[in-house]
């Protein structure tokens, strides 16, 4: 008689997704909001900013698998993932808020205060590294718990798809709002609320709210899949990530796709300056600018939502390896966006070009959304693969690989952007002077064309190349739909027998 797979309830899924929404708000408060704040508000040097983000990600190369190994070793009455989901959000909240409390580098440089300049860069670096460590303590178990909440492949895929949808909504909520609300605070409070104070107030308020939501994932979920195979040492856990062939392919593929993170780090700066002359709040008072933001920015996020929504249905008709590899083709429309800039560098705000870029970014967003869902499902499948073949279930260590891919990608993206920006002079006091000039009536697309070209290039060309290169490692991905179905059925029987003993 076939055993029934254990799975989560609707209430548990709702609580988990609420936590996922809050956690992704926090991620984007840092990846988009803090990056914008460091670059355009307190005006850190471009190369220094790039290396701060990159070196933090190098540390994550060690920190993420360490956290994954720690999760896999954890034994508690709550399970091995939930304890971290309960206690990590408050710590993440405090460190995220602390990252915004810093001095203004441009002001310190203009006054010749070299000591203050050093302290500002040092605080940015230390707070960001500490944030990455605390975030990892919540991120690895958050994704790892999905494979522990259900033994049913369909339910896992559905939860992963919904997770990616709410993650995208969390990102969209922050990407525009943190910059717009911060600039809006300056307008509302006048001279008493400058650009930096606006970011501190809004960033901290959003962080507290997001952290409260993040806490739901730990309080409202339950681990149902039995722990199997004992524990492994840190060294054995690191080795396992490379020894499992299908997981190794996913890891290499994700690293090749690293430049895709540029889309998130560059988009707010580009939108704020190219379309709104440095003041994003004008998009809410000028109907033409609002339409641009909705079509161009909305196109990308609509593509993400659509892809994450339909991926579970497509997985029933198409092998996941095939679907994952086809996403590489969506790098082509991403690159074509840069072609539109080369054709009309000063006129992309015209409605015809807006419509074209909106359609191209719709497909680009679909590629990002599909990759995110497929990658998470494939990692979950690799966990089953490892348990089936070797009797050990590496939920923590394998999902730490996903966290590592995301953060390493952000580090690579920051290095690429740092040197491109530095090459065109978009750095520290030059940004401060540009902000003053734009406030006095200068036009970004015309008067600062090298900056605009650099931003359009970063947003499109490296991500497109990365998407196409990323399919090479997974062309021979070992796990097929049929083989995984057989593995999962065998594991359910194995778990059922273990429960009876």
């Amino acid at each position: 008689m076939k055993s029934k797979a254990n799975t989560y309830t609707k209430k548990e899924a709702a609580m988990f997704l609420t936590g996922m929404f809050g956690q992704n708000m926090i991620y984007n408060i840092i990846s988009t909001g803090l990056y914008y704040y460091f670059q355009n508000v307190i005006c850190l040097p471009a190369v220094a900013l790039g290396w701060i983000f990159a070196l933090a990600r190098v540390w994550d190369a060690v920190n993420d698998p360490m956290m994954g190994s720690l999760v896999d070793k954890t034994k508690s009455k709550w399970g091995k993932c939930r304890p971290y989901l309960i206690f990590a959000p408050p710590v993440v909240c405090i460190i995220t808020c602390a990252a915004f409390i810093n001095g203004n580098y441009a002001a310190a440089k203009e006054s010749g205060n070299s000591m203050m300049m050093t302290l500002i860069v040092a605080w940015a670096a230390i707070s960001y590294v500490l944030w990455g460590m605390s975030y990892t303590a919540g991120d690895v178990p958050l994704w790892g718990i999905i494979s522990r909440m259900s033994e049913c492949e369909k339910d896992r895929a559905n939860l992963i798809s919904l997770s990616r949808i709410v993650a995208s909504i969390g990102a969209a909520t922050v990407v525009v709002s943190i910059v717009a609300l911060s600039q809006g605070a300056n307008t509302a409070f006048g001279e008493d609320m400058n650009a930096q104070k606006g970011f501190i107030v809004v960033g901290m308020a959003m962080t507290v709210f997001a952290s409260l939501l993040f806490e739901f994932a730990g309080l409202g979920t339950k681990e149902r899949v039995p722990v199997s195979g004992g524990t492994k040492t840190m060294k054995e856990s690191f080795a396992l990530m490379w020894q499992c062939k299908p997981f190794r392919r996913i890891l290499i593929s994700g690293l090749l796709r690293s430049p895709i993170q540029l889309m998130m780090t560059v988009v707010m700066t580009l939108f704020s300056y190219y379309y709104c002359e440095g003041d994003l709040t004008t998009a809410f008072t000028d109907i033409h600018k609002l339409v641009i933001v909705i079509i161009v920015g909305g196109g990308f996020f609509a593509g993400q939502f659509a892809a994450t929504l339909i991926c579970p249905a497509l997985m029933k008709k198409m092998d996941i390896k095939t679907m994952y590899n086809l996403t590489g083709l969506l790098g082509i429309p991403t690159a074509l966006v840069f072609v539109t800039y080369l054709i009309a560098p000063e006129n992309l705000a015209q409605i015809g070009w807006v419509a074209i870029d909106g359609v191209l970014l719709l497909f680009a967003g679909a590629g990002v959304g599909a990759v995110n869902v497929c990658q998470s499902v494939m990692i979950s499948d690799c966990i089953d693969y490892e348990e089936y073949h070797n009797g050990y279930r590496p939920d923590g260590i394998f999902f730490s690989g996903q966290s590592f891919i995301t953060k390493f990608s952000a580090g690579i993206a920051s290095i690429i952007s740092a040197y491109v920006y530095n090459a065109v002079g978009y750095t520290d006091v030059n940004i401060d002077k540009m902000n003053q000039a734009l406030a006095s009536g200068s036009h970004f697309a015309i008067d600062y064309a090298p900056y605009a070209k650099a931003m359009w290039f970063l947003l499109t060309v490296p991500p497109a190349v990365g998407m196409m290169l990323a399919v090479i490692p997974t062309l021979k991905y070992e796990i097929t739909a049929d083989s995984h179905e057989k593995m999962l059925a065998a594991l359910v029987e194995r778990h059922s027998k273990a429960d009876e003993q």
Side-chain angles (χ1 to χ4, degrees):
M1 183 176 176
K2 188 176 180 180
S3 299
K4 184 178 179 181
N6 290 315
T7 193
Y8 52 81
T9 65
K10 290 182 179 179
K11 181 180 178 181
E12 288 171 26
M15 295 286 277
F16 174 81
L17 293 171
T18 301
M20 179 65 74
F21 179 85
Q23 188 249 17
N24 275 270
M25 282 187 67
I26 294 172
Y27 180 79
N28 285 280
I29 286 169
I30 292 292
S31 66
T32 300
L34 187 68
Y35 190 92
Y36 184 96
Y37 175 74
F38 280 172
Q39 180 183 59
N40 301 298
V41 178
I42 66 173
C43 302
L44 294 181
V47 173
L49 177 59
W51 279 107
I52 286 172
F53 275 70
L55 291 175
R57 300 290 68 85
V58 170
W59 166 239
D60 278 335
V62 178
N63 187 37
D64 283 2
M66 284 174 59
M67 187 64 212
S69 179
L70 184 61
V71 168
D72 284 334
K73 290 180 179 180
T74 299
K75 295 180 180 179
S76 75
K77 63 180 180 180
W78 296 308
K80 64 181 187 178
C81 294
R82 283 189 66 209
Y84 302 99
L85 297 179
I86 293 171
F87 297 110
V91 179
V92 175
C93 179
I94 293 170
I95 297 177
T96 304
C97 290
F100 282 94
I101 303 174
N102 205 335
N104 189 296
Y105 186 89
K109 187 173 183 178
E110 288 179 349
S111 66
N113 192 335
S114 58
M115 178 62 75
M116 181 58 70
M117 291 161 58
T118 301
L119 290 174
I120 290 169
V121 173
W123 180 249
I126 292 169
S127 61
Y128 186 63
V129 170
L130 290 175
W131 176 84
M133 293 174 65
S134 65
Y135 182 83
T136 293
D139 187 51
V140 171
L142 182 67
W143 286 99
I145 201 172
I146 294 176
S147 68
R148 304 201 52 72
M149 290 172 65
S150 177
E151 295 178 309
C152 176
E153 170 68 6
K154 178 183 176 183
D155 288 349
R156 283 188 203 166
N158 286 338
L159 189 58
I160 287 172
S161 178
L162 289 171
S163 297
R164 288 300 184 180
I165 291 172
V166 300
S168 298
I169 295 172
T173 300
V174 171
V175 165
V176 174
S177 63
I178 190 169
V179 177
L181 289 174
S182 299
Q183 294 174 341
N186 306 337
T187 303
F189 292 96
E191 295 181 358
D192 293 331
M193 182 69 78
N194 60 30
Q196 188 171 357
K197 289 180 181 177
F199 258 90
I200 291 172
V201 170
V202 172
M204 291 176 68
M206 292 182 71
T207 296
V208 171
F209 175 70
S211 299
L212 291 172
L213 296 181
F214 186 8
E215 193 67 50
F216 279 75
L219 297 176
T221 55
K222 181 179 179 181
E223 298 185 25
R224 299 173 182 276
V225 178
V227 176
S228 61
T231 61
K232 291 186 179 293
T233 65
M234 193 75 68
K235 183 178 179 180
E236 289 171 335
S237 295
F238 273 78
L240 181 61
M241 296 177 72
W242 193 253
Q243 290 167 358
C244 181
K245 287 185 179 180
F247 183 77
R248 183 170 70 224
R249 294 185 189 280
I250 296 170
L251 198 61
I252 296 172
S253 176
L255 297 181
L256 289 173
R257 195 183 291 103
S258 292
I260 204 169
Q261 285 290 327
L262 282 164
M263 302 182 87
M264 296 305 296
T265 58
V266 174
V267 66
M268 275 319 307
T269 302
L270 177 62
F271 270 43
S272 182
Y273 285 107
Y274 189 88
Y275 293 121
C276 301
E277 303 296 353
D279 186 358
L280 196 62
T281 58
T282 59
F284 301 96
T285 57
D286 184 322
I287 188 65
H288 179 68
K289 292 179 181 178
L290 180 61
V291 169
I292 291 173
V293 171
I294 291 173
I295 294 177
V296 179
F300 181 80
F301 283 109
Q304 275 192 292
F305 297 153
T308 52
L309 194 62
I310 65 175
C311 269
L314 289 177
M315 288 176 191
K316 297 176 182 177
K317 303 178 182 296
M318 184 187 302
D319 192 274
I320 192 168
K321 178 179 79 171
T322 302
M323 188 162 69
Y324 182 87
N325 290 334
L326 284 175
T327 60
L329 297 175
L330 294 174
I332 297 173
T334 307
L336 290 177
V337 174
F338 186 63
V339 175
T340 67
Y341 172 79
L342 294 177
I343 296 171
E346 299 172 8
N347 301 309
L348 290 187
Q350 294 178 0
I351 196 65
W353 289 112
V354 168
I356 292 171
D357 283 344
V359 172
L360 291 174
L361 287 170
L362 178 74
F363 286 102
V368 173
V371 161
N372 286 339
V373 173
C374 290
Q375 178 180 273
S376 296
V377 172
M378 290 164 81
I379 290 175
S380 183
D381 291 352
C382 287
I383 294 170
D384 294 330
Y385 178 94
E386 187 63 27
E387 184 184 9
Y388 177 79
H389 286 284
N390 299 309
Y392 179 69
R393 190 167 184 83
D395 306 274
I397 194 66
F398 275 15
F399 268 105
S400 76
Q402 175 171 276
S403 180
F404 166 65
I405 288 170
T406 300
K407 294 174 187 175
F408 184 89
S409 297
I412 294 297
S414 68
I415 285 293
I416 294 171
S417 62
Y419 282 96
V420 171
Y421 282 141
N422 192 64
V424 298
Y426 187 77
T427 182
D428 55 80
V429 294
N430 289 345
I431 297 175
D432 193 43
K433 292 176 181 178
M434 179 193 69
N435 288 334
Q436 296 175 28
L438 293 176
S440 300
S442 295
H443 297 286
F444 181 75
I446 298 172
D447 300 316
Y448 296 94
Y451 296 174
K453 187 174 184 179
M455 291 179 192
W456 281 107
F457 171 81
L458 289 169
L459 183 76
T460 57
V461 176
V465 173
M467 288 179 72
M468 289 183 276
L469 289 177
V471 306
I472 297 173
T474 53
L475 290 175
K476 294 184 178 181
Y477 182 70
E478 287 82 358
I479 304 174
T480 65
D482 289 340
S483 69
H484 183 252
E485 186 177 348
K486 292 176 182 177
M487 283 190 292
L488 201 57
L491 289 175
V492 170
E493 288 292 331
R494 195 183 299 177
H495 296 161
S496 179
K497 291 178 180 178
D499 289 339
E500 292 172 0
Q501 292 176 355

